[in-house]
Amino acid sequence: MKTSRLFAFLLVTISLYLVYVLVDNYVLDPQAEQFLALKTGIDRVLNLPVWLNVMYVHVAFATISTASGAMNFSKYIRNRFRGFHRVNGYIYVVSVMLVVLTSGYMAPYSTGGKPVSVAYNMMNIVWPAFTVIAIMRIKKKDLVGHLRSMVRSYVFCFTNVFVHTMTFLAEQGLRLPHETSYTFGVFSAFALNLLIAELIIAIFYAPSRVANTSTYIKGEIQPQK
């Protein structure tokens, strides 16, 4: 019961966050003026109309991947609506790939120049890699491996949250220049993604805990009686 309530709380929190992201990017600041005003250390000329269109696609599919990924962690959906779980999983995979593709375009225009661009592109390799591994695990009927890989993949949906949080802490707490703070924020977010994923796995998705909730019967995931 406590786990169910925690999951429900997280879903509500994620939903509110996604509403904020959509309103902020498509209603309050559709030209990304506040974000672009802080950009420094860019190595190339920014084609604003193209960049904005790529950003709109990036935000849209980042929102979809965050929402679809959250739903697929539900044991209820996973055990009783396997068809929806499977389709929704592929929606998540396609969304992740499109987020990574658009991020690859925007990375060279990041504040902080090449070091930050490299960090983003490293994440653009690691994130889809974890996602593909999750698919391979479930194809091999490895539920535990699938869930653990999905946790490692899903935390990357919150990269932007971690980047801005760590940038704010460095800028306001350490009084570092914005460019330095943003560089620190991006590299810190990468590390936090990996660390938080392993903490979640250790607490909620250890093999013994997952094995007690579901098992495979005739090649399908079924709730234990």
Side-chain angles (χ1 to χ4, degrees):
M1 182 63 70
K2 290 183 178 179
T3 303
S4 299
R5 289 178 179 176
L6 176 60
F7 183 73
F9 172 77
L10 290 175
L11 281 182
V12 171
T13 303
I14 291 170
S15 298
L16 292 174
Y17 165 69
L18 293 180
V19 169
Y20 165 76
V21 169
L22 293 173
V23 171
D24 184 52
N25 285 277
Y26 294 110
V27 180
L28 298 180
D29 191 14
Q31 299 300 309
E33 294 177 354
Q34 294 182 0
F35 180 69
L36 292 173
L38 296 173
K39 278 191 175 293
T40 57
I42 302 176
D43 297 330
R44 59 183 67 186
V45 178
L46 180 69
N47 186 325
L48 184 58
V50 174
W51 185 91
L52 283 173
N53 285 327
V54 173
M55 188 270 291
Y56 295 148
V57 175
H58 180 80
V59 171
F61 283 100
T63 302
I64 293 172
S65 63
T66 305
S68 63
M71 285 189 290
N72 264 13
F73 278 104
S74 167
K75 293 179 183 178
Y76 182 81
I77 292 175
R78 185 172 70 237
N79 291 334
R80 299 185 181 278
F81 300 96
R82 295 189 300 277
F84 173 80
H85 177 84
R86 188 179 297 111
V87 172
N88 191 46
Y90 283 115
I91 291 174
Y92 172 80
V93 172
V94 171
S95 298
V96 167
M97 298 307 170
L98 288 171
V99 171
V100 167
L101 181 64
T102 51
S103 176
Y105 170 82
M106 294 190 296
Y109 302 101
S110 300
T111 295
K114 189 172 183 178
V116 173
S117 178
V118 169
Y120 272 127
N121 283 320
M122 287 173 62
M123 286 189 270
N124 290 338
I125 294 172
V126 174
W127 187 8
F130 282 141
T131 307
V132 171
I133 290 172
I135 297 174
M136 294 171 62
R137 294 293 189 186
I138 202 62
K139 292 292 185 182
K140 294 180 179 180
K141 312 305 179 186
D142 178 8
L143 176 61
V144 176
H146 172 68
L147 286 171
R148 289 160 69 94
S149 296
M150 273 303 302
V151 170
R152 295 186 178 105
S153 170
Y154 187 64
V155 292
F156 279 86
C157 289
F158 301 95
T159 297
N160 193 53
V161 175
F162 298 148
V163 168
H164 289 289
T165 299
M166 299 307 294
T167 299
F168 175 82
L169 292 176
E171 196 168 12
Q172 301 299 319
L174 301 177
R175 300 298 179 183
L176 297 176
H178 177 72
E179 184 175 331
T180 304
S181 297
Y182 189 79
T183 302
F184 171 78
V186 172
F187 280 92
S188 297
F190 195 0
L192 282 173
N193 284 339
L194 301 176
L195 176 60
I196 291 174
E198 297 309 314
L199 288 175
I200 293 173
I201 288 169
I203 296 171
F204 297 104
Y205 292 98
S208 60
R209 290 178 63 90
V210 178
N212 288 332
T213 60
S214 300
T215 187
Y216 283 105
I217 300 177
K218 296 181 180 180
E220 295 288 348
I221 304 173
Q222 298 281 357
Q224 284 188 340
K225 304 296 184 182

